[in-house]
Amino acid sequence: MILQSLVDYYVELIKQEKIASWGWSDVNVSFALVIDDYGNIENVVSLKTQSDAKMIPQKLKVPAQVKRSSGIVANFLCDNSKFILGFDDNGRNEEEKEKSRKRAKQCFDKAKELHNKLLSDASGRESKAVLSFFNNWNPDKTYDNSMFSVYKEELLKGGNIVFFYNGHYVHEFDEIKKIWNEWQCENAGDEKITCSITGKQDHLAKLHPAIKGIRGAQPSGASIVSFNAPAFCSYGKEQGMNAQTGEYAAMAYGAALNYLIEHITYKQYIGDTAVLCYAINGAEVYQSAFDIFFMDKETSYTEKELKKILESLCEGKTIEFEEQKLDPNMGFNILGIAPNAARLSVRFFYRNSFGQFINNLRKHQLRLEIESGKQDPVPIYSLWRLLKETSRDENIPSELAGEMIRSIILDSEYPATLINAIDMRIRADHKLNETRAALIKAFYLKNKSKYVPKEVLTVSLNKETENKAYNLGRLFAVLENIQKNVNPNINATIRDKFFGSASATPSAIFPHLIELSQKHLRKMETGKRIYNEKQIGEIMEKISDTGFPRTLNMQERGVFQLGYYHQVQNFFK
């Protein structure tokens, strides 16, 4: 299902000319060798362009790159300096450098053999120029050639090189394209199978494409489908014979995945998991909208405008967004991929209509609504913003991230690890901000508990509830407020010293806090003292029937935290 959706996505990208067609690859290219009719190098041109503060390679559509696992295999008309120039000078000493040069010479010979095989019958001047280059070039010339000296360090890092002849890239000439496409067809795998993805007859893909760009994975690329040990194989079959996948489908899903990963941003990573979203029609406006609502992507839309967009989509309306149409009935996929040694792990995959995902996201946002004491409208809480509150250093556990995504987009219960993490953070740093309070409220609205009545899961303060844990939280907020009024410049309030213990063992802490508050009240003006004494008295009436409880369990601590937060926000009014 995953690979099939990616193949369908690839087809749409081809129609929109966003991606290279079958047999071709979008590849980062660093240099072009300008050659004449006799294959002589006239110039070496850097193709890198400025991006922010650094120079990056240029993306070109070139003949499909081979997947290198072992041995020496050359690419056609686009490769690194080892294959195009026979150049490699890496090594800590002369012995290691000599070894590198010998292997580079072998690589060049393989490239020379490949290009002679493909271009020997070609009639175009560009083909003959390339052949002349390979047949006449001496790799030893590279080391002393002044044209290469300025780029030596970059060449040694493995940047790709292409050929440039008579004002054009060689791989873009019509005869070259025809030769390459025919070669691809003639040299497809020997074994014909019915592809399990497309259902069509195709040559078996023995090796699946390398997926590049996932943070933490191999820089050279990792596989999402691979069989490289007997334990992974069946009935003595080797490599891709264990997965009936045609060469077209393997190439297509690989190209689609690489395209998605190339456009991913920092905030589309949750923990080590890359969250890839794509609509079946290939329109990137759906990805953009989902990333704004879900992944905290920057936008020029206001919170009010975004909420109106959410409401319209949930009502089934097709709307205009970023000057394009958003259809809630459009099929949409969400794929989570994480690195796993030389492979990639699929953490999750969900497919549904875009509107259904948005509808579930809106339900989640409604559960999160809570008073903040600000004039601004209630914000849209991105997944990134929520999960940051579960970890001190933003090192979010991948399991929690995956479970949270599943909970939100499927409208299922939140993971228990979420409330555990929030409770631990509050008890560790004694901070209860708007986002944490919103998460506590949303969690218990969805995950019902007999210890958390719905009457305390309100947007703002509920003065009528008799719930003891909630009123204990309110009382703590009142006592802290009294302390702040008397000592406005105090460095550490009772929240900093006693919040965690008061929410866990009230009977051991509150008598001391009440006694402390009496000392503070005596220092107040009469009017303020009477007002605060009345507040304490009203709350104590809801608690004093059985006194302060010895302990509160985790669910009751959550209620305590909400009572505290609601009361604090009520002071801002």
Side-chain angles (χ1 to χ4, degrees):
M1 184 182 291
I2 299 173
L3 302 187
Q4 184 180 29
S5 74
L6 288 167
V7 171
D8 293 341
Y9 182 59
Y10 168 82
V11 172
E12 294 300 324
L13 292 176
I14 287 290
K15 290 178 183 176
Q16 298 170 36
E17 298 184 349
K18 293 179 179 178
I19 200 169
S21 58
W22 184 81
W24 296 77
S25 302
D26 288 306
V27 174
N28 289 324
V29 181
S30 299
F31 302 98
L33 297 185
V34 183
I35 57 175
D36 62 16
D37 288 328
Y38 305 101
N40 299 316
I41 299 176
E42 294 183 329
N43 198 6
V44 180
V45 179
S46 174
L47 299 182
K48 292 188 175 183
T49 56
Q50 186 79 33
S51 177
D52 297 327
K54 60 181 181 179
M55 302 294 288
I56 61 170
Q58 192 174 145
K59 187 75 70 175
L60 296 179
K61 287 181 173 61
V62 301
Q65 304 278 281
V66 296
K67 182 179 180 180
R68 291 174 179 141
S69 53
S70 60
I72 300 175
V73 186
N75 286 313
F76 183 55
L77 292 175
C78 177
D79 219 320
N80 60 46
S81 60
K82 295 186 189 73
F83 289 87
I84 300 297
L85 298 168
F87 174 61
D88 188 4
D89 201 27
N90 281 310
R92 291 171 293 182
N93 51 52
E94 280 304 316
E95 185 180 345
E96 288 184 2
K97 288 184 177 182
E98 185 60 32
K99 189 176 179 180
S100 296
R101 289 168 184 165
K102 283 183 178 179
R103 182 169 176 82
K105 178 66 167 59
Q106 293 171 341
C107 292
F108 177 79
D109 289 340
K110 276 289 182 182
K112 178 179 177 180
E113 179 185 332
L114 174 67
H115 286 81
N116 272 285
K117 188 181 292 185
L118 268 72
L119 301 177
S120 58
D121 295 329
S123 58
R125 292 167 58 190
E126 67 283 350
S127 302
K128 292 179 178 180
V130 171
L131 278 182
S132 295
F133 165 79
F134 277 105
N135 292 327
N136 297 323
W137 178 253
N138 180 358
D140 293 334
K141 292 179 181 179
T142 316
Y143 298 94
D144 301 319
N145 194 310
S146 59
M147 284 190 292
F148 298 109
S149 59
V150 67
Y151 300 123
K152 180 179 177 181
E153 293 301 320
E154 294 178 78
L155 289 167
L156 290 174
K157 290 178 182 177
N160 283 314
I161 304 169
V162 293
F163 292 95
F164 196 81
Y165 172 80
N166 198 25
H168 300 278
Y169 293 117
V170 170
H171 59 268
E172 292 181 346
F173 282 88
D174 290 339
E175 184 187 36
I176 295 289
K177 289 180 179 179
K178 184 180 178 184
I179 289 171
W180 176 247
N181 289 333
E182 289 176 352
W183 168 265
Q184 286 286 93
C185 295
E186 292 169 4
N187 288 272
D190 296 329
E191 186 174 348
K192 277 260 190 175
I193 51 101
T194 300
C195 178
S196 59
I197 297 174
T198 64
K200 299 177 181 178
Q201 286 286 303
D202 196 358
H203 294 283
L204 175 71
K206 289 185 178 180
L207 293 177
H208 285 241
I211 310 303
K212 299 181 180 180
I214 290 292
R215 192 172 65 195
Q218 296 279 4
S220 57
S223 297
I224 203 167
V225 178
S226 69
F227 306 85
N228 64 346
F232 311 135
C233 301
S234 303
Y235 302 102
K237 294 181 182 290
E238 295 181 352
Q239 296 178 317
M241 293 179 182
N242 289 275
Q244 296 283 296
T245 306
E247 289 198 340
Y248 168 79
M251 180 280 306
Y253 87 72
L257 257 183
N258 281 318
Y259 177 83
L260 285 168
I261 293 167
E262 183 185 346
H263 294 82
I264 199 169
T265 64
Y266 170 70
K267 286 192 175 178
Q268 287 170 285
Y269 277 92
I270 302 296
D272 66 347
T273 303
V275 182
L276 308 174
C277 310
Y278 51 102
I280 60 172
N281 70 342
E284 293 181 8
V285 65
Y286 292 91
Q287 294 161 262
S288 179
F290 193 80
D291 287 344
I292 288 169
F293 294 132
F294 199 62
M295 305 300 292
D296 204 23
K297 178 183 174 182
E298 293 183 4
T299 178
S300 58
Y301 288 96
T302 64
E303 294 279 357
K304 187 176 181 180
E305 290 170 333
L306 289 174
K307 287 192 172 185
K308 188 173 180 181
I309 291 167
L310 270 177
E311 289 170 4
S312 298
L313 289 169
C314 291
E315 291 169 2
K317 298 177 182 176
T318 297
I319 62 166
E320 187 169 299
F321 184 82
E322 295 182 349
E323 300 181 353
Q324 296 183 62
K325 296 294 183 183
L326 271 181
D327 179 4
N329 297 313
M330 179 59 62
F332 195 70
N333 303 289
I334 304 170
L335 173 63
I337 293 180
N340 179 17
R343 293 182 178 80
L344 297 175
S345 297
V346 175
R347 285 283 165 83
F348 50 81
F349 178 69
Y350 307 110
R351 64 187 309 176
N352 209 321
S353 68
F354 183 73
Q356 187 58 57
F357 283 133
I358 292 296
N359 191 43
N360 290 343
L361 180 59
R362 175 163 164 71
K363 291 177 184 177
H364 164 70
Q365 292 294 336
L366 289 173
R367 289 192 291 270
L368 287 165
E369 285 191 358
I370 197 163
E371 192 171 63
S372 66
K374 302 172 185 174
Q375 294 298 319
D376 300 331
V378 179
I380 291 178
Y381 296 89
S382 69
L383 179 65
W384 179 259
R385 177 177 174 179
L386 297 177
L387 288 176
K388 278 200 300 185
E389 296 296 341
T390 66
S391 176
R392 182 176 61 182
D393 54 4
E394 297 187 6
N395 187 20
I396 301 161
S398 301
E399 295 77 10
L400 173 58
E403 290 170 357
M404 268 296 284
I405 292 171
R406 181 180 186 277
S407 301
I408 296 168
I409 64 177
L410 299 184
D411 193 30
S412 60
E413 287 194 346
Y414 298 106
T417 47
L418 170 66
I419 203 65
N420 287 333
I422 292 295
D423 183 62
M424 287 177 64
R425 294 305 315 140
I426 292 173
R427 298 185 71 187
D429 60 22
H430 314 121
K431 294 178 182 177
L432 184 55
N433 57 28
E434 172 191 344
T435 308
R436 291 179 180 180
L439 270 171
I440 295 168
K441 172 178 174 280
F443 182 90
Y444 288 114
L445 277 173
K446 191 64 179 176
N447 302 44
K448 309 295 183 186
S449 169
K450 65 179 181 180
Y451 298 105
V452 188
K454 193 172 182 180
E455 66 194 53
V456 304
L457 302 175
T458 51
V459 173
S460 57
L461 179 65
N462 181 358
K463 293 183 178 181
E464 307 305 319
T465 179
E466 300 289 330
N467 185 274
K468 186 165 288 189
Y470 186 83
N471 283 301
L472 283 169
R474 289 184 60 203
L475 178 60
F476 191 94
V478 170
L479 298 179
E480 181 190 27
N481 192 52
I482 291 171
Q483 184 188 40
K484 285 181 176 178
N485 279 324
V486 174
N487 301 305
N489 298 319
I490 191 169
N491 291 325
T493 68
I494 59 172
R495 184 192 65 190
D496 300 307
K497 295 180 179 180
F498 301 110
F499 190 82
S501 53
S503 65
T505 55
S507 63
I509 303 299
F510 270 97
H512 169 67
L513 297 180
I514 295 289
E515 183 182 348
L516 183 64
S517 71
Q518 295 306 308
K519 297 176 182 178
H520 292 145
L521 286 168
R522 285 195 288 270
K523 298 177 183 178
M524 281 188 170
E525 297 173 5
T526 303
K528 285 186 177 181
R529 186 182 73 249
I530 293 171
Y531 171 76
N532 282 290
E533 285 175 343
K534 185 178 179 182
Q535 274 196 313
I536 293 173
E538 288 175 352
I539 297 173
M540 287 296 292
E541 282 183 9
K542 300 176 185 294
I543 297 171
S544 59
D545 55 340
T546 56
F548 297 112
R550 292 184 61 188
T551 60
L552 297 180
N553 61 32
M554 193 176 70
Q555 293 95 324
E556 291 169 324
R557 286 200 300 273
V559 176
F560 178 100
Q561 291 153 2
L562 277 177
Y564 170 83
Y565 177 82
H566 280 152
Q567 186 64 57
V568 169
Q569 297 310 312
N570 191 64
F571 290 144
F572 289 117
K573 288 184 177 180

